[in-house]
Amino acid sequence: MYSKFLIVASKLDKAGTNITTQLSQFGDFKFYLVDKEIIHTENLDLEKINQYDFIIFASKHKSEKREKTLSVHAPGNWRSADFGGKAGKVCKTSALFLKQIFEKLNENKEKYNLKNYKVTMEATHHGPLIDKPCIFIEIGSTENEWTDRRAAFIIAKTTFEAVKEFRENPYNEVAIAIGGPHYCPNFNKIQLKSNVAISHVISQYAFPLTEEMIKEAIEKTEEEVDLALLDWKGLGKSEQRQEILKILDKLYIRHRRTSEVNKEY
C-alpha cells in the first residue's frame, strides 16, 4: 500500500530533531528537515513531499497541563486554521496505519518501562495541509520531555517498526470518530483493544457538527469507512445528539456508540 515514507521535522523543534536523531540509527529512512515550523504549509517543499507515499511528521506537543505524553493524530482543521493549514480542511490519513502505530507505541512504552508518560491519540487538529496521507507523532509537553532521549528512542523504534511491519488488514472495521475531549480516552481504548481502526477524530470542541465535516473526514480516510463511532456522553446535550444522528442518517452512515464496541481484541 505504502512503500516510500518520508519523515518530516523542523530544525526549530527540539522534539522533532531528537526523534530524527534517534531514527537515523534505524535503517534507511528518508528525512526532510525544515527550517521553519512544519504546521504551516507554506514552509514546506510540496514537490519534495509529493515524491513520497506517506508522510510522518515528528514533532513536539505542547499543552497547558504539561503532561508527559507520546501521541499520534491526523492533521487538519475542522473549523478555523489558527495553527496552519486551511479552515475546514483535513489531510488524508490511514486508519490502519494510525491503529498499528498506536498499538506499537503502547507496546514499546511498556516494554521499555517509560514511566509517567501517557500514550494517547489526539483529535484531528492543526496544519499543515498537504495532498499526501500523513500523521503526526509527538512528544509532550515541555522542553524536559522534548529533549528526553528515551522518549525519542521509543517514538523512533515505534515508527521504524510501524513502517517495516505495516500491512493492510481486511478484518479491521474502519471508522471516523465523533465527540469526547481532545485526548480521546474512549477512542484510545477502541483503537488499542478492538477490531476497529480509527482515522479522523472530530472532538466535541469542534461542534456544532456539520455534513461537510463528516464528508471531509470520510473523503480524507484512505480506506473505505464502515461506520462512525460516537462517544455518546461526549456529544453534548440531547438536542445536539439528535442533530448528529440526523446528519449521519441523512448521509446513510452506520454508527455505533463506543460502549457498544467489543474491546477484547
Side-chain angles (χ1 to χ4, degrees), residues 85-210:
K86 189 174 177 183
K89 294 293 175 187
V90 301
C91 287
K92 297 174 188 173
T93 197
S94 163
L96 297 181
F97 191 82
L98 273 167
K99 182 178 181 68
Q100 289 171 36
I101 202 166
F102 187 65
E103 289 172 339
K104 283 277 170 211
L105 197 51
N106 278 275
E107 188 182 302
N108 284 326
K109 187 254 183 186
E110 293 302 321
K111 183 177 178 181
Y112 293 96
N113 199 25
L114 194 68
K115 292 178 179 174
N116 305 323
Y117 277 82
K118 174 181 162 189
V119 175
T120 185
M121 295 196 307
E122 294 178 70
T124 299
H125 70 302
H126 73 60
L129 183 65
I130 63 172
D131 196 32
K132 288 289 176 179
C134 57
I135 65 160
F136 267 73
I137 189 160
E138 303 176 344
I139 301 174
S141 298
T142 72
E143 191 164 333
N144 287 337
E145 289 76 53
W146 303 336
T147 55
D148 182 341
R149 283 186 292 184
R150 289 190 69 226
F153 168 79
I154 285 168
I155 294 269
K157 189 168 196 301
T158 295
T159 303
F160 169 72
E161 290 173 347
V163 166
K164 187 180 173 189
E165 299 167 20
F166 178 63
R167 67 203 182 282
E168 292 186 66
N169 186 341
Y171 303 107
N172 280 136
E173 282 191 292
V174 172
I176 59 167
I178 302 168
H182 182 74
Y183 293 104
C184 325
N186 288 326
F187 299 136
N188 283 337
K189 289 174 196 165
I190 286 171
Q191 192 81 306
L192 190 62
K193 297 178 181 289
S194 84
N195 197 41
V196 179
I198 297 169
S199 61
H200 283 289
V201 179
I202 306 171
S203 189
Q204 188 179 358
Y205 64 76
F207 290 179
L209 191 72
T210 64

Side-chain angles (χ1 to χ4, degrees), residues 23-69:
L23 253 179
S24 60
Q25 67 182 297
F26 286 105
D28 187 23
F29 272 102
K30 300 295 183 188
F31 296 101
Y32 171 29
L33 292 176
V34 182
D35 291 326
K36 297 179 181 177
E37 295 290 351
I38 55 177
I39 62 171
H40 298 290
T41 313
E42 58 271 23
N43 293 342
L44 304 176
D45 180 344
L46 297 179
E47 278 188 29
K48 183 189 289 258
I49 279 173
N50 288 337
Q51 293 170 24
Y52 293 85
D53 300 327
F54 200 99
I55 311 302
I56 298 173
F57 292 99
S59 170
K60 69 187 176 194
H61 172 69
K62 263 182 167 176
S63 81
E64 289 175 9
K65 291 185 177 176
R66 302 169 72 85
E67 287 182 314
K68 295 174 184 279
T69 55

